[in-house]
Amino acid sequence: MVAIIFHSEDSGFAVISLLMPDDVATTVAGKLGQVHEGEFLKLHGKWSEHPKFGKQFQAQWSEHTSPTTLTGLEKYLGSGAFPGVGADMAKRLVAHFGEHTLKNLEGSSDNLMLVPGIGPKRAEALAAGFREGRDRHRVLSELRGFGLSSNHTSALYERWGAAAVEKVKQDPYALVGDLRGVGFQTADRIAITVGIPRDSAVRARGVLVHLLREASREGHVCLPEMMVLEKLDQLELSQASIIEGIQRAVDSGRVVLVKLDPTGLKPEDQAFYLSELEEAEAGLVDEIHRLQVPNAETLASQDQVLRAIEQSEFRPDESQRQALEMALSSSFSVITGGPGTGKTTTLRLLLDILDRVGSMAVKLASPTGRAAKRLNEATGREASTIHRLLGFDPANGGFRHDADEPLAVDYLIIDEVSMLDLPLAHALLQAVPDSARILLVGDADQLPSVGPGAVLRDLVEIPTIATTRLQRIHRQGEDSGITEAAHAILHGEMPVSSSRSDGRGDFFVSYREDPMEAADLVEHIIADRMPDKYDIDPLEDLLVLSPMYRGALGVDELNQRLSARLNPDGSGFEWAKGLRVGDRIMVVRNDYERETFNGDTGVVTSITRNELLAEIDGWVQSYGPGDIDDLIPAYCVTVHRSQGSESQAVLIVLGNSHYPMLRRNLLYTAVTRGKELVVLVTSQSALRRAVQNDQESLRYGGLRARLG
């Protein structure tokens, strides 16, 4: 290798100048892993013609090879790939051993002491360093041959050393979920490469774990036993392999088979769980039982409640009074209700009453940073994310506050609980001390959490959980269009455009049957009408929502269209995966070191050859090729990704191509994201399908059965 033109430590992508056997330098690009000048490489890939840089070789993976000349041997050993061997030491070794240098480095360290100036310790260190470098090259090359990225191969070598190749050959399916970015298809491909039969217990175990992991990504906590057996039976697996594979998964502790009814259908049904989810579900039940104190003492007197109400700006209705009494007299309680039913005002009144009681440590939190910020603005009280409240430690992936070190709190209020998934709910309740009370607040009719479980929806259906549902709509008059539309949808009625005396309104439905016409209308409303008529900044005050990624009205197409219209001069680099300077972006992974969270939005401020800078929530964050997948364009996002957020204006797109996702709770959730203006661009049939389809997406789990 002549020179390294570019190299990313994170992704392993490199552009190098390679001297070919005919002494002609050739440009090579690809994910080459760790490379050093002077190394000899054997490359696998294909030739291509780059529009800017001309002919180059696109390397899919590389192997390190031994040089065939003494000059090449000096460069190879002095490349920095072998610990303790620099350019000077490489020259001395080759001068002494000549073409037998590698053989002597691989042999006894006694041979190395024959070189002038090398003593016993130095000789042993050189031999050990060479063996480490040689083993690393061999292992990384073999792992790259399996189709694994340089990041994955490096991680496996750090974990298992020279045994990494054998570990992968024994069970490539164990990599799924263990290495970020390695999925079942990759593992299945490796299994074929290393000769694992399609009908084997190893594959059956891998398929079982994969099915449960995929189910958890779809929100399920478990899967019924019969469903799993049917799926396994469809994948070229014999009964013997299935039985042995299940046993291996259970014996290894990765999977648990529980005699439980996951859907409320048959008490005798059994369900397969990933062990961590079964532990979280059973643990959550235990924590709820622990925190439910029978006949708990009422925190405030009737006089304190009445005085707080008299001094309040609003008068609670009967259901709100019931909610207040419940929250003051129950150790574990839930308040649920739709938009405009007074959840926030009830919460503010409760906080005023708790202030009158005095000497209480009251804490407020929400699942996301956006929701916590809204809670702070609505109540005037400090609110944090649940992760920050619990003290997440990125070093070990756990929380500082748990059962052994509980929170210092007397009354804990969690808002937007529809977003709370099962594992986080378990971790949260573990950290609540026995003496504390907890109130969960949210809209059970919204979409459930992105993560596994439907915690709020399950809790409000359990008779033993103290629950109040607020139903009376308090937002009336000229500002009620969004609220009326949301409640109409909730009751299975077609929403209609609102009208006010000034002709502006706050909820509008525009029908377009042709998808391209609808996309053109969306662009016109966002780029022209909203800024002109409503003084709305599309990059700051607008949330554009679509149910799916594909199609003319999908998230991907709308992002491209809106990026070109709203940010025509943005520039970027290929590694940034389409992101350009000036683009609106969203974070899609919780990153506790940066303190950025799934759903946070920002703007790209700079992109160089290996770094993207983005301003997110007032802070400039740096991203490289290795973590660019943490960001997506956010001119348009899915409804699921909008949970917990609120925007001055919301534009919702529904088309016939979105048929699989056209559900009542999805549309309801989308409409309730808007504060001042909601525009719905749709076809008649798509809207009718969404409103009439009240079949919530089924989520398998045993929380209701365990608590009931």
Side-chain angles (χ1 to χ4, degrees):
M1 188 193 311
V2 178
I4 299 173
I5 301 170
F6 170 79
H7 181 236
S8 168
E9 291 287 345
D10 292 326
S11 67
F13 181 82
V15 180
I16 63 173
S17 178
L18 190 70
L19 192 64
M20 304 293 283
D22 57 3
D23 290 334
V24 175
T26 299
T27 300
V28 174
K31 291 190 175 183
L32 304 177
Q34 291 189 341
V35 288
H36 303 85
E37 290 187 5
E39 285 187 301
F40 282 67
L41 301 175
K42 181 179 179 181
L43 302 173
H44 302 255
K46 60 182 180 180
W47 290 100
S48 67
E49 189 72 26
H50 192 280
K52 183 176 180 181
F53 302 110
K55 186 178 181 180
Q56 62 178 224
F57 190 79
Q58 295 291 324
Q60 295 175 336
W61 63 285
S62 64
E63 297 179 75
H64 295 263
T65 62
S66 300
T68 56
T69 66
L70 295 183
T71 302
L73 191 55
E74 283 186 18
K75 291 182 177 180
Y76 173 62
L77 292 175
S79 65
F82 304 99
V85 182
D88 179 64
M89 178 57 68
K91 183 174 291 187
R92 290 163 60 191
L93 290 169
V94 173
H96 186 85
F97 294 115
E99 62 185 22
H100 302 295
T101 300
L102 296 181
K103 181 178 179 181
N104 281 276
L105 279 168
E106 291 176 341
S108 171
S109 60
D110 293 343
N111 294 341
L112 299 180
M113 287 190 289
L114 299 175
V115 179
I118 296 181
K121 289 186 177 179
R122 186 72 184 277
E124 184 58 41
L126 286 172
F130 180 78
R131 285 193 297 270
E132 180 186 341
R134 178 201 59 198
D135 287 345
R136 186 179 182 89
H137 282 170
R138 176 184 63 79
V139 171
L140 294 184
S141 292
E142 287 197 55
L143 292 175
R144 290 285 288 150
F146 294 152
L148 294 168
S149 71
S150 58
N151 277 350
H152 294 145
T153 58
S154 296
L156 291 174
Y157 184 81
E158 292 301 320
R159 183 181 307 174
W160 291 320
V165 173
E166 192 58 33
K167 289 274 192 182
V168 173
K169 285 182 177 180
Q170 288 175 359
D171 187 2
Y173 299 100
L175 301 178
V176 181
D178 212 21
L179 283 182
R180 186 184 176 199
V182 174
F184 179 78
Q185 290 183 338
T186 299
D188 221 20
R189 187 180 66 244
I190 295 173
I192 294 172
T193 302
V194 302
I196 294 176
R198 302 288 289 171
D199 181 18
S200 66
V202 172
R203 185 167 182 263
R205 175 185 179 275
V207 171
L208 172 59
V209 174
H210 168 66
L211 289 175
L212 294 176
R213 287 193 180 280
E214 286 299 299
S216 72
R217 292 190 181 97
E218 294 172 3
H220 302 295
V221 180
C222 60
L223 287 179
E225 180 186 26
M226 292 307 298
M227 177 185 292
V228 171
L229 294 177
E230 288 174 5
K231 289 179 178 291
L232 290 173
D233 196 44
Q234 297 167 2
L235 293 169
E236 305 173 45
L237 291 164
S238 65
Q239 286 299 309
S241 295
I242 291 172
I243 293 170
E244 186 181 349
I246 290 173
Q247 193 61 53
R248 287 189 182 191
V250 172
D251 290 345
S252 69
R254 296 288 295 275
V255 171
V256 180
L257 181 58
V258 178
K259 187 169 185 178
L260 180 76
D261 171 23
T263 61
L265 298 178
K266 297 178 182 178
E268 68 270 22
D269 280 353
Q270 296 192 109
F272 284 105
Y273 285 77
L274 291 172
S275 56
E276 59 268 25
L277 289 181
E278 195 280 330
E279 181 182 347
E281 187 175 88
L284 178 59
V285 171
D286 289 342
E287 299 304 330
I288 291 174
H289 286 155
R290 174 179 65 85
L291 293 169
Q292 285 181 302
V293 178
N295 303 315
E297 181 183 355
T298 300
L299 293 176
S301 67
Q302 191 70 22
D303 185 55
Q304 288 172 316
V305 173
L306 289 174
R307 277 187 292 178
I309 292 174
E310 288 173 358
Q311 295 179 14
S312 174
E313 297 178 355
F314 84 104
R315 293 292 178 266
D317 62 32
E318 183 179 349
S319 64
Q320 290 172 315
R321 292 285 292 262
Q322 290 175 354
L324 285 172
E325 291 178 11
M326 176 195 68
L328 292 168
S329 61
S330 300
S331 59
F332 186 97
S333 58
V334 178
I335 296 177
T336 185
T341 57
K343 294 190 301 295
T344 301
T345 49
T346 303
L347 193 54
R348 283 202 298 261
L349 187 50
L350 173 64
L351 290 168
D352 290 342
I353 295 170
L354 293 177
D355 284 345
R356 290 178 181 276
V357 174
S359 302
M360 291 189 70
V362 180
K363 294 185 183 295
L364 288 76
S366 290
T368 68
R370 293 165 296 162
K373 185 177 181 181
R374 286 178 53 197
L375 183 59
N376 167 261
E377 294 169 349
T379 63
R381 314 293 179 105
E382 181 180 349
S384 72
T385 63
I386 295 173
H387 285 83
R388 188 165 294 159
L389 175 74
L390 297 179
F392 184 82
D393 183 358
N396 59 29
F399 294 106
R400 180 167 60 86
H401 291 291
D402 53 20
D404 296 325
E405 189 179 345
L407 295 163
V409 63
D410 297 311
Y411 202 112
L412 178 61
I413 298 171
I414 306 297
D415 194 23
E416 293 285 1
V417 180
S418 62
M419 302 172 63
L420 186 64
D421 64 28
L422 181 74
L424 186 55
H426 177 225
L428 173 67
L429 265 60
Q430 275 187 308
V432 179
D434 293 345
S435 58
R437 305 193 181 207
I438 182 167
L439 171 65
L440 305 178
V441 183
D443 186 348
D445 293 314
Q446 288 188 14
L447 288 171
S449 58
V450 174
V455 175
L456 180 59
R457 197 168 70 194
D458 286 344
L459 291 180
V460 300
E461 295 296 328
I462 297 168
T464 56
I465 302 291
T467 302
T468 301
R469 182 181 287 272
L470 305 179
Q471 293 181 319
R472 180 182 170 189
I473 301 174
H474 290 268
R475 289 183 216 158
Q476 298 288 351
E478 64 177 8
D479 296 322
S480 66
I482 297 172
T483 301
E484 289 180 358
H487 284 273
I489 292 165
L490 202 56
H491 290 91
E493 301 169 2
M494 294 281 280
V496 296
S497 298
S498 63
S499 61
R500 297 194 320 208
S501 57
D502 59 6
R504 289 167 66 96
D506 64 352
F507 179 83
F508 298 96
V509 183
S510 292
Y511 291 108
R512 292 292 187 278
E513 298 302 320
D514 180 80
M516 294 308 298
E517 289 183 9
D520 290 341
L521 178 61
V522 167
E523 181 180 333
H524 169 67
I525 291 172
I526 292 171
D528 303 319
R529 188 163 180 78
M530 282 189 172
D532 292 345
K533 186 170 182 178
Y534 291 91
D535 194 27
I536 289 171
D537 183 342
L539 296 179
E540 295 288 336
D541 307 321
L542 175 64
L543 194 58
V544 183
L545 305 177
S546 175
M548 298 174 67
Y549 283 95
R550 297 179 180 177
L553 297 178
V555 168
D556 293 337
E557 283 288 332
L558 290 176
N559 266 319
Q560 290 186 19
R561 179 187 280 254
L562 294 175
S563 175
R565 179 66 185 274
L566 300 175
N567 184 28
D569 301 322
S571 59
F573 285 84
E574 185 175 349
W575 70 266
K577 296 190 174 180
L579 294 179
R580 303 176 303 142
V581 175
D583 275 346
R584 182 176 180 176
I585 49 94
M586 175 177 281
V587 178
V588 294
R589 184 178 71 91
N590 290 338
D591 186 329
Y592 304 103
E593 293 183 6
R594 290 187 177 93
E595 291 199 350
T596 57
F597 299 94
N598 188 1
D600 287 349
T601 57
V603 175
V604 177
T605 58
S606 169
I607 305 179
T608 63
R609 286 179 96 46
N610 58 5
E611 183 184 46
L612 179 147
L613 298 180
E615 184 177 342
I616 301 170
D617 200 21
W619 296 88
V620 175
Q621 305 287 354
S622 171
Y623 292 84
D627 46 19
I628 193 63
D629 288 339
D630 290 354
L631 304 177
I632 62 171
Y635 295 98
C636 178
V637 298
T638 64
V639 180
H640 282 85
R641 290 205 180 278
S642 74
Q643 286 179 270
S645 65
E646 197 174 59
S647 183
Q648 180 181 340
V650 169
L651 189 147
I652 306 161
V653 186
L654 295 182
N656 295 330
S657 61
H658 300 149
Y659 187 87
M661 297 294 292
L662 296 177
R663 296 192 299 270
R664 185 181 298 175
N665 63 352
L666 181 137
L667 178 57
Y668 172 80
T669 300
V671 169
T672 56
R673 301 306 90 203
K675 292 194 296 184
E676 298 179 15
L677 177 65
V678 172
V679 177
L680 177 58
V681 177
T682 181
S683 70
Q684 287 273 2
S685 56
L687 181 58
R688 187 176 297 107
R689 161 72 181 175
V691 169
Q692 293 177 351
N693 182 13
D694 63 348
Q695 296 299 311
E696 298 179 15
S697 53
L698 174 65
R699 290 199 166 189
Y700 291 108
L703 185 59
R704 293 191 203 182
R706 292 181 194 257
L707 279 170

